[in-house]
Amino acid sequence: MPPMLGMLSTQRWSEQGLALLQLLLVASFSKSEERVCSLMGEQEEPQLFKTGDIIFGGIFSFHSSWTNMKSTYVHRPLPLQCTSLNFRAFQFAQSMLFAIEEINNSTEILPGITLGYKMYDVSHFATCACLSDKIKYPSFLRTIPSDYYQSRALAQMVKHFGWTWVGAIRSNDDYGNNGMAIFKDTATQLGICLEYSLPFVRTDPPEQKQKIIETIKGSTSKVIIAFLNHMDMEVLIEEFAHHNLKGHQWVGTEGWISDSQIAIAKGNYILEGSIGLAIRKAHVTGLREFMLDVKPLNSSGNKLFTEFWETAFGCTYFSL
């Protein structure tokens, strides 16, 4: 190609490229002005709700399990069908309702302002120390100490009893992973050695459960630190009972150590002699009466109220 023709051709392509770039920029700016993001899928409805001038959000494990649904990859996946109403989480939600109603009924705290709420069914284990970062989570408010303190206290407890060679199992989420990381750092400073630290979640395949069983059977430590939530723990001890894996000293977190469902769960003999940490109880005037009077829930989310009634009394609820 002659030099002049090549120069003209290059210039023509540069002009076309510049025009295309300008067109893309105009289209990009026009699109960004319309909407930055959009909702994918259907919006999830809250389990409990109430309108107000200020809306508080709540997340609780209202259900312990769900129905497994196979995806065909042809149509959009259907929402999870949750089952097994969790009464413990239900009581936690009632505590939040009680606090909000106490404020709404007061003439001194927020006069002229009504608080509302939207409570959803995901996890409420908000003890993770990561949530104390106000830069990342400026609107998150704690009602319970972070696991920074619990993890260090567990290490001090292990040191107190002279256990220097221990194993650990943790929930494979922020609660378990971050909590165990803090425990490990503190334990190392106190001269405590960790033989193993295994992740676990109740939806793990059988192979992962078998790996945990084989690791514990082949270990020499007899003390197990269980940094687990109560739902993962319930599944795990049933698996341990199936293998008759007893004779270990369990050290537990507040996530399961005082849970009433764990105390009566299948295989609970595995946990005989367990020790751990729990949040100090306090008497809140009027809270018990509020929890026993479930009728107000009928106006806060009819679906959950009906499910509670049917689960508690083993009958079908009809509204007259």
Side-chain angles (χ1 to χ4, degrees), residues 94 290-300 305 308-309:
Q94 284 182 286
F290 181 86
M291 286 187 171
L292 293 176
D293 183 15
V294 296
K295 292 180 181 179
L297 288 173
N298 200 7
S299 61
S300 302
F305 172 80
F308 166 78
W309 191 277

Side-chain angles (χ1 to χ4, degrees), residues 144-202:
I144 191 172
S146 79
D147 286 325
Y148 173 81
Y149 304 101
Q150 176 175 216
S151 301
R152 293 167 62 87
L154 283 173
Q156 292 287 350
M157 179 186 296
V158 171
K159 176 66 174 179
H160 173 78
F161 288 102
W163 299 323
T164 57
W165 183 239
V166 301
I169 307 176
R170 66 188 190 276
S171 290
N172 195 13
D173 53 22
D174 285 342
Y175 172 73
N177 293 330
N178 292 340
M180 184 52 63
I182 298 173
F183 170 86
K184 185 177 180 180
D185 289 343
T186 308
T188 301
Q189 297 172 11
L190 297 175
I192 300 169
C193 296
L194 207 59
E195 183 179 8
Y196 59 85
S197 178
L198 302 172
F200 176 75
V201 66
R202 57 191 177 281

Side-chain angles (χ1 to χ4, degrees), residues 3 35 49-50 66-67 80 85 87 153 175 186 287 291:
R35 185 161 50 187
F49 61 89
K50 182 179 181 180
W66 53 86
T67 303
L80 288 175
L85 183 65
F87 287 105
Y175 172 73
T186 308
L287 178 58
M291 286 187 171

Side-chain angles (χ1 to χ4, degrees), residues 8 24 39 57 141 319:
L8 290 174
L24 289 175
L39 179 67
L141 303 176
S319 180

Side-chain angles (χ1 to χ4, degrees), residues 71-313:
S71 298
T72 61
Y73 300 99
V74 177
H75 303 287
R76 178 181 296 170
L78 296 173
L80 288 175
Q81 298 297 319
C82 296
T83 58
S84 303
L85 183 65
N86 187 333
F87 287 105
R88 185 171 185 243
F90 189 76
Q91 288 182 331
F92 291 158
Q94 284 182 286
S95 298
M96 180 175 172
L97 291 176
F98 175 77
I100 290 177
E101 292 304 321
E102 286 284 289
I103 295 173
N104 284 339
N105 293 330
S106 173
T107 58
E108 300 178 356
I109 302 178
L110 291 175
I113 297 177
T114 302
L115 301 182
Y117 50 82
K118 289 185 178 180
M119 300 187 188
Y120 292 90
D121 198 6
V122 286
S123 174
H124 70 280
F125 289 105
T127 56
C128 180
C130 59
L131 294 171
S132 295
D133 189 337
K134 284 300 181 183
I135 297 178
K136 291 183 178 180
Y137 310 102
S139 62
F140 181 81
L141 303 176
R142 285 200 178 279
T143 58
I144 191 172
S146 79
D147 286 325
Y148 173 81
Y149 304 101
Q150 176 175 216
S151 301
R152 293 167 62 87
L154 283 173
Q156 292 287 350
M157 179 186 296
V158 171
K159 176 66 174 179
H160 173 78
F161 288 102
W163 299 323
T164 57
W165 183 239
V166 301
I169 307 176
R170 66 188 190 276
S171 290
N172 195 13
D173 53 22
D174 285 342
Y175 172 73
N177 293 330
N178 292 340
M180 184 52 63
I182 298 173
F183 170 86
K184 185 177 180 180
D185 289 343
T186 308
T188 301
Q189 297 172 11
L190 297 175
I192 300 169
C193 296
L194 207 59
E195 183 179 8
Y196 59 85
S197 178
L198 302 172
F200 176 75
V201 66
R202 57 191 177 281
T203 55
D204 277 343
E207 294 78 17
Q208 178 62 16
K209 298 176 184 177
Q210 186 61 33
K211 178 183 177 181
I212 293 176
I213 297 295
E214 292 175 356
T215 300
I216 294 177
K217 283 184 175 181
S219 67
T220 56
S221 59
K222 294 301 180 181
V223 178
I224 303 177
I225 314 300
F227 216 109
L228 298 156
N229 63 59
H230 67 283
M231 292 178 287
D232 288 345
M233 190 63 182
E234 188 172 352
V235 173
L236 195 62
I237 61 172
E238 185 174 341
E239 191 73 19
F240 281 11
H242 178 71
H243 290 271
N244 197 30
L245 196 63
K246 55 184 180 179
H248 291 82
Q249 173 63 55
W250 289 85
V251 180
T253 60
E254 50 77 34
W256 66 268
I257 196 67
S258 59
D259 184 73
S260 58
Q261 295 299 315
I262 294 293
I264 61 175
K266 183 178 179 181
N268 59 0
Y269 66 90
I270 295 293
L271 302 174
E272 289 181 354
S274 299
I275 61 173
L277 300 174
I279 304 302
R280 180 178 296 179
K281 292 183 178 180
H283 176 72
V284 179
T285 304
L287 178 58
R288 184 175 187 275
E289 292 75 15
F290 181 86
M291 286 187 171
L292 293 176
D293 183 15
V294 296
K295 292 180 181 179
L297 288 173
N298 200 7
S299 61
S300 302
N302 184 269
K303 184 179 179 181
L304 188 62
F305 172 80
T306 302
E307 186 178 355
F308 166 78
W309 191 277
E310 292 180 346
T311 304
F313 300 103

